[in-house]
Amino acid sequence: MSDADVDDLRSFLHESDLTLAGLDDDAVRLWLERDVEGTVVGSTGFELSADGRHALIRSVAVTPGRRAAGAGSRLARFALSSAALAGAERAWLFSRRSGPFWEKLGFTAADRHALAAALPDTRQVRLFTETGQLAREIAWARPLLDLRPARADGAVMRVAPALRG
C-alpha cells in the first residue's frame, strides 16, 4: 500500500470512527476498495500475532450507501480468508457497535483480556492497554479452521511461520 493509500485510508477510517493506530506498520495487512472515481468506499485488514496463530481483524468499514448491499460482509470475509490462508487459527476483533454484524459472520463474544493475551504485540492492543481503553472494549472471536485450505486427504494445511509473506 502506498503512502497516498495510507493517507486516504486514514481519512476514511477517521470518518468511520475506527482506530487509526498502526496503519503504516508493515505487520498490518490492509486492503482498500475504491469506486470508479478513485474514492475509498471500503477497507479491511488484519494483523497476525507473533506466532501466527491469531489474527486481529481491523479496519473493516464501508461507506453508508454500500452497507445494505453486503459490501461489509464481503470485505470482512476477505480479511478472514486471508488471515486463515496466512496460517491464523483464530480471528479476534474489537467492536462496541457492530456485534450483530460480526455474529452473522460466526463471531461470538470473547474476553477482552484473552484477546490482549493472544495478540499482545499488535499496535491496537498496545494502544488500548496503554490508554486504558481496553477496559471499555468489547471483544469478539471465531475459529478460522473452516476457512483454511484443505489438503487432498482432507487435512487442514498449516502455513509455516517462516514461509509467510
Side-chain angles (χ1 to χ4, degrees):
M1 187 174 284
S2 72
D3 289 342
D5 287 334
V6 172
D7 289 342
D8 290 349
L9 177 60
R10 191 177 315 281
S11 295
F12 179 71
L13 293 177
H14 178 74
E15 291 171 14
S16 300
D17 194 28
L18 292 178
T19 302
L20 306 178
L23 296 179
D24 54 355
D25 191 325
D26 288 338
V28 179
R29 300 174 192 190
L30 297 164
W31 293 269
L32 293 177
E33 185 168 85
R34 296 179 181 271
D35 64 14
V36 294
E37 287 86 30
T39 303
V40 176
V41 295
S43 64
T44 194
F46 70 90
E47 185 173 357
L48 291 175
S49 60
D51 66 4
R53 294 180 51 222
H54 302 273
L56 180 64
I57 304 300
R58 54 169 300 167
S59 307
V60 178
V62 295
T63 56
R66 292 178 171 249
R67 291 182 186 152
S73 295
R74 181 178 43 75
L75 288 166
R77 282 190 199 99
F78 180 84
L80 292 169
S81 296
S82 297
L85 188 59
E89 299 169 3
R90 187 162 196 79
W92 303 80
L93 60 90
F94 292 111
S95 179
R96 287 177 277 157
R97 299 183 302 257
S98 303
F101 169 81
W102 293 108
E103 286 176 321
K104 289 177 186 173
L105 293 170
F107 282 83
T108 58
D111 182 277
R112 69 179 68 88
H113 298 291
L115 184 160
L119 293 145
D121 297 324
T122 61
R123 290 283 299 271
Q124 192 172 10
V125 169
R126 287 194 329 249
L127 172 69
F128 288 1
T129 301
E130 292 166 5
T131 63
Q133 186 173 338
L134 183 64
R136 297 185 301 276
E137 290 298 326
I138 299 173
W140 300 87
R142 69 157 282 176
L144 294 177
L145 294 178
D146 62 316
L147 299 176
R148 305 216 18 226
R151 299 187 326 210
D153 62 5
V156 175
M157 295 188 321
R158 172 128 172 89
V159 178
L163 299 178
R164 275 194 213 109

